Amino acid sequence: MSRAQLTRTGILRMALGGGGAPAAAAEGGGGRRAPFLLRALRIAVVVCLYWFTSIAMVFLNKYLLDSPSLRLDAPLFVTFFQCALTAALCLGLSLGAACGPPCAGLPTLRLDPKVSRSVLPLSAVFIGMVTSNNLCLKHVGVAFYNVGRSLTTVFNVLLSYLLLKQTTSLYALLACGVIIGGFWLGVDQEGAEGTLSWTGIFFGILASLCVSLNAIYTKKVLPVVDGSIWRLTFYNNVNACVLFFPLMVLLGEFRTLYHFDKLGSPSFWGVMTLGGVFGFAIGYVTGLQIKFTSPLTHNVSGTAKACAQTVLAVIYFEETKSFLWWTSNLMVLGGSFAYTWVKGLEMRKVQEDPNVKSSERNETGV
C-alpha cells in the first residue's frame, strides 16, 4: 500500500493548555494527570490498532497468495480486487459524507477523465508498488518479508539525490550501509537454509524502488487533486483497476480463475473482502498514528512492528532460524531506526534554524 498517504496527515498538538489549562492548574497534580493518562491511553490504542491492522493484512495476503489449502495462483487478481474494494469504499464513504460524522470530513468524489489522465503516471508506479509487494510476499516467507523489502530507505536516499538533487549526511549513509549489510546477510542465510527465492528477492527490490518512486510522484500529483489524499486514493485505485485487466489477460489469470474450485465459496470471498478492508484501513490508521504521535514516532513504531511481525511469523509457521539470520533482521531494523533518528534530528535542526528557507524545510521533510 502507498506510504505517500502520510503526506496529508500532520502532528496532533498534544497540549494541556488552551481552555482547560486554568482548570487543570486549579485542580493540582491530579487534574494534570488525568489528561495525560487519557492522551497516553489514546496513543496506545492507536498504535495497537496500527500494529494489528498492518500485521493482519500481511498474514491475510500471504494466505491468499500462497496458501497450500487455497492453491490460487492469481496474484494480480487478488491485488485487483483489493484496489476495486478500496475505490468502492472511498466512493461509499464520500456518498455518506452528507450524513455527518464520521464521514463529514470527506470530499465529494466524482470521476473526472482529465484528472484521471493526470494521475495515470502515478497509477503506473502505484501498480508496480502493490503488485511487487504482493509478489514478494508470495515467494518469500512472512518472517523474511521485512528484510526482502528493506531497501526502501536506500532507494529514498538514491532517488533524492538523482531526482531532487538532495544530499544525505554521513550518519544517514552509514545507517543505509547497515541496512544493505543486513539485507545481504539475510539473503545469504535464506540460501543457507534452502528457503531462498530469487524471484521473491527481485520483487522485494522492485517493491522498495516503487515505494520510493511512489512517494516522489505523489508529491508532484497531489496538486491535481487539490491536495486531497482521499481523491488521490480514489483515482489511483480506479486507474489501477483499469490497468490490471489487460495484465490479467496477458498472464492468463482469468483462465486460472475459471478452473479455481473455490471461486463460488463464501469463505473465500469473505477472506478476500477482509483483506481488501484491511488494505483500505492501513492508510487510515497510519494517518491516525502520525496524527496522535509524530512522523518520527510512526517510523519507530513501524520498525518495532516489523520486529514483532517477524517473531510472530517464526512462531506461527513453526520455523527455526539461525543466529546469523536473526542478526540480519536486527541489522535491518537497527539501521532503519538509526536512519529515522538521524533524519529526525536533522529535520528538527532545520526547522529551528531561522535562516533556512521554507522551501528547504519542506525538502528536508520529504
Side-chain angles (χ1 to χ4, degrees):
M1 298 285 78
S2 173
R3 302 263 174 94
Q5 290 175 338
L6 311 186
T7 56
R8 180 75 187 274
T9 52
I11 305 173
L12 181 66
R13 293 181 179 178
M14 301 173 59
L16 289 174
E27 291 174 8
R32 287 192 295 270
R33 267 197 306 272
F36 172 78
L37 291 175
L38 181 62
R39 287 198 310 274
L41 179 61
R42 187 179 301 168
I43 290 172
V45 169
V46 169
V47 171
C48 289
L49 184 62
Y50 167 77
W51 280 40
F52 172 76
T53 304
S54 180
I55 293 175
M57 182 182 66
V58 171
F59 277 85
L60 276 172
N61 281 344
K62 182 62 176 178
Y63 171 78
L64 290 169
L65 294 165
D66 192 38
S67 171
S69 60
L70 195 62
R71 299 191 305 276
L72 174 62
D73 187 19
L76 291 185
F77 170 72
V78 172
T79 312
F80 161 80
F81 181 85
Q82 293 177 349
C83 289
L85 186 59
T86 297
L89 287 171
C90 285
L91 186 59
L93 289 173
S94 175
L95 293 175
C99 301
C103 302
L106 271 69
T108 301
L109 297 178
R110 61 182 182 85
L111 191 59
D112 185 337
K114 184 178 179 180
V115 175
S116 183
R117 285 194 299 270
S118 300
V119 178
L120 195 59
L122 173 63
S123 299
V125 176
F126 174 75
I127 284 180
M129 181 183 71
V130 294
T131 302
S132 53
N133 267 307
N134 279 348
L135 287 172
C136 175
L137 183 57
K138 176 180 173 63
H139 291 284
V140 304
V142 176
F144 187 69
Y145 183 54
N146 179 61
V147 174
R149 301 178 308 118
S150 61
L151 297 182
T152 299
T153 301
V154 178
F155 281 117
N156 282 342
V157 171
L158 183 62
L159 293 177
S160 293
Y161 178 75
L162 294 177
L163 301 180
L164 306 177
K165 305 305 178 184
Q166 296 177 13
T167 57
T168 304
S169 67
L170 176 61
Y171 289 116
L173 290 176
L174 289 175
C176 289
V178 174
I179 295 173
I180 295 173
F183 173 80
W184 282 115
L185 180 59
V187 170
D188 175 74
Q189 290 305 298
E190 285 286 301
E193 295 180 3
T195 55
L196 178 64
S197 168
W198 283 109
T199 303
I201 296 299
F202 169 77
F203 283 116
I205 296 174
L206 183 61
S208 300
L209 174 62
C210 288
V211 167
S212 299
L213 285 173
N214 187 77
I216 293 173
Y217 277 99
T218 294
K219 185 183 179 183
K220 293 182 178 181
V221 172
L222 266 174
V224 177
V225 291
D226 301 322
S228 171
I229 287 297
W230 285 104
R231 286 197 179 98
L232 183 60
T233 302
F234 174 70
Y235 278 104
N236 236 352
N237 284 277
V238 169
N239 284 348
C241 290
V242 175
L243 295 174
F244 268 126
F245 259 96
L247 293 176
M248 289 190 291
V249 171
L250 287 174
L251 295 177
E253 290 202 359
F254 286 109
R255 190 184 309 111
T256 301
L257 291 171
Y258 179 78
H259 295 288
F260 181 52
D261 58 347
K262 295 181 177 63
L263 192 61
S265 170
S267 61
F268 165 70
W269 288 108
V271 175
M272 284 282 287
T273 302
L274 191 60
V277 170
F278 274 112
F280 170 80
I282 187 62
Y284 179 73
V285 297
T286 296
L288 273 184
Q289 180 167 248
I290 294 178
K291 179 179 179 181
F292 283 92
T293 58
S294 71
L296 176 62
T297 305
H298 163 70
N299 287 332
V300 173
S301 173
T303 302
K305 186 273 305 179
C307 181
Q309 179 178 293
T310 300
V311 173
L312 285 173
V314 170
I315 295 173
Y316 180 78
F317 293 106
E318 299 179 348
E319 299 173 345
T320 302
K321 301 297 183 182
S322 67
F323 173 77
L324 287 179
W325 186 93
W326 286 107
T327 301
S328 71
N329 277 266
L330 290 176
M331 287 177 67
V332 167
L333 295 173
S336 300
F337 176 80
Y339 178 85
T340 299
W341 187 262
V342 168
K343 296 303 288 185
L345 292 177
E346 291 175 357
M347 288 170 61
R348 184 181 303 173
K349 183 178 179 180
V350 169
Q351 295 294 338
E352 292 175 352
D353 189 348
N355 298 321
V356 178
K357 298 179 181 178
S358 60
S359 60
E360 294 177 355
R361 292 178 182 178
N362 290 337
E363 288 179 357
T364 306
V366 173

